[in-house]
Amino acid sequence: MNNIAVIGSGTMGNGIAHVFAQYGYKVSLIDISEDALKKAVATIDKNLARQVEKGSITADVKQKALANLTTSTSVKEGIGQADLIVEAATENIDLKLKIFKDMDEVANPAAILATNTSSISITKIASVTNRPAQVIGMHFMNPVPVMKLVEVIRGYATSDETTKTVMELSKKLEKIPVEVNDYPGFVANRILMPMINEAIYSLYEGVAGVSEIDNVMKLGMAHPMGPLQLADFIGLDVCLSILRVLHDGFGNPKYAPCPLLVNMVQAGHKGVKSGNGFYQYKTGSKELVVADRFKR
Ligand code: CAA
């Protein structure tokens, strides 16, 4: 397995392309927007430079990684004869079903079709293809070049062979793969999102302020980011949509999203990507500043 295609060049897509290219795979990065592709390549260049600066890779590895990378705005051309295609498009079920239907038609029949979805059913995605045994979840964590985990999700029909190939491939990227089954939220988000939701409820009910809640988890539980900062980092819209998948999928009220989260997303406050969330990100400084409405 040497040729990889990555569909979607946003934060996750460019991180996934970065890691495969860094470990010597030929990577074709695909997006509908030429502009998005240019930005993605610039981000990969910047993040590789950061690794060179820190001494975790050499300048030669950086050059080779960039040389391994090509871009395309056409799914058919970009996929070519790829052995593995990792879809990392926007988290929208209709979009993902369409991408899988299209790529199933044009991809090499032996290719594995993987999705980086954080919560959409792998079984459902596989059902629109003619190769459900070769469809699997390959859920990377943000920032992809840094985080060690790959959550490998077996759909109802995913074969042992496909699972084994993806587990081994993840290890070649120096990641630690963990095999899980396809139920709402898989494991990562089934555990992470209720924690984030509970942190938002604690703020909503006035138990404590933003910094206090985050400090409890950072200083008390050694989390690198508090749950509210992490929610901003992931995207509040993404957190809300994953909570809805958990709520709908299990029918259990314990997953009901906090009304404060719903309001913030409706108001366009989506965290880092919109410049405002529990913290504000427009100051240009690296220091965390609590958003005005949550200042105490
Ligand atoms: N590319 C390459 N390297 C990067 C990077 C990137 N995009 N981002 C950070 N780094 C490197 C830095 O260069 C630095 O390297 P060294 O350790 O060699 O010095 C290291 O990562 C730490 O970065 P910083 O010093 O800039 O900042 P930090 O110490 O505050 O760490 C963080 C930043 C790694 C993001 C850390 O805060 C963290 O681990 N946060 C939690 C992240 C997390 O939980 N991610 C999972 C989110 S959930 C998800 O993704 C899935 C989902 O379905 C929702």
Side-chain angles (χ1 to χ4, degrees):
M1 181 158 297
N2 192 34
N3 292 311
I4 311 293
V6 178
I7 300 187
S9 68
T11 311
M12 296 307 287
N14 80 56
I16 295 166
H18 169 142
V19 170
F20 276 110
Q22 181 187 329
Y23 285 86
Y25 294 87
K26 298 276 175 222
V27 182
S28 167
L29 182 59
I30 305 164
D31 201 291
I32 42 171
S33 150
E34 190 74 59
D35 228 35
L37 286 170
K38 276 198 192 121
K39 271 194 203 139
V41 173
T43 303
I44 293 171
D45 192 330
K46 191 184 82 194
N47 285 330
L48 285 165
R50 165 148 64 167
Q51 288 167 286
V52 174
E53 220 169 279
K54 299 265 180 182
S56 59
I57 61 169
T58 62
D60 184 47
V61 169
K62 172 176 185 272
Q63 274 325 105
K64 285 190 176 136
L66 289 172
N68 282 336
L69 195 63
T70 53
T71 60
S72 175
T73 51
S74 148
V75 169
K76 190 171 189 311
E77 277 166 28
I79 284 180
Q81 285 304 301
D83 307 302
L84 169 78
I85 303 153
V86 185
E87 170 277 322
T90 311
E91 196 72 351
N92 171 310
I93 184 152
D94 294 331
L95 176 69
K96 289 201 194 272
L97 295 181
K98 182 172 181 339
I99 290 174
F100 271 78
K101 214 165 174 302
D102 292 350
M103 69 181 175
D104 185 38
E105 279 165 21
V106 295
N108 172 354
I112 291 177
L113 311 184
T115 171
N116 179 57
T117 181
S118 48
S119 62
I120 295 171
S121 161
I122 310 302
T123 306
K124 173 141 189 119
I125 290 175
S127 74
V128 301
T129 72
N130 290 311
R131 58 178 103 189
Q134 289 157 246
V135 176
I136 194 160
M138 206 175 176
H139 185 204
F140 291 84
M141 303 291 133
N142 185 19
V144 182
V146 180
M147 307 304 281
K148 282 288 174 203
L149 176 70
V150 180
E151 192 179 30
V152 175
I153 307 123
R154 293 186 72 134
Y156 199 78
T158 308
S159 69
D160 290 345
E161 197 190 338
T162 300
T163 309
K164 190 167 171 260
T165 305
V166 168
M167 295 288 286
E168 277 167 11
L169 183 63
S170 304
K171 287 182 197 156
K172 291 201 176 125
L173 304 175
E174 289 194 76
K175 301 287 184 203
I176 297 170
V178 171
E179 185 184 324
V180 312
N181 288 317
D182 183 25
Y183 289 99
F186 319 134
V187 170
N189 282 317
R190 182 171 180 165
I191 297 174
L192 176 64
M193 288 303 156
M195 181 191 73
I196 285 177
N197 202 33
E198 208 54 37
I200 303 172
Y201 265 115
S202 303
L203 177 69
Y204 174 67
E205 290 171 2
V207 181
V210 169
S211 309
E212 288 76 9
I213 291 168
D214 274 355
N215 277 337
V216 166
M217 300 306 286
K218 275 197 289 194
L219 307 178
M221 283 78 185
H223 289 198
M225 286 176 170
L228 300 173
Q229 186 191 358
L230 183 56
D232 277 355
F233 178 69
I234 291 167
L236 300 187
D237 52 339
V238 175
C239 294
L240 178 59
S241 95
I242 299 173
L243 279 162
R244 291 211 156 115
V245 167
L246 290 169
H247 194 209
D248 292 350
F250 292 114
N252 187 331
K254 77 177 177 180
Y255 298 110
C258 177
L260 172 59
L261 174 64
V262 177
N263 263 358
M264 290 175 78
V265 173
Q266 269 165 357
H269 290 218
K270 296 180 185 168
V272 177
K273 67 174 117 174
S274 71
N276 45 21
F278 297 105
Y279 297 90
Q280 46 180 295
Y281 302 92
K282 287 176 177 158
T283 56
S285 99
K286 268 197 117 183
E287 195 199 337
L288 267 182
V289 180
V290 173
D292 285 343
R293 69 178 301 124
F294 297 120
K295 283 202 171 123
R296 324 173 99 204

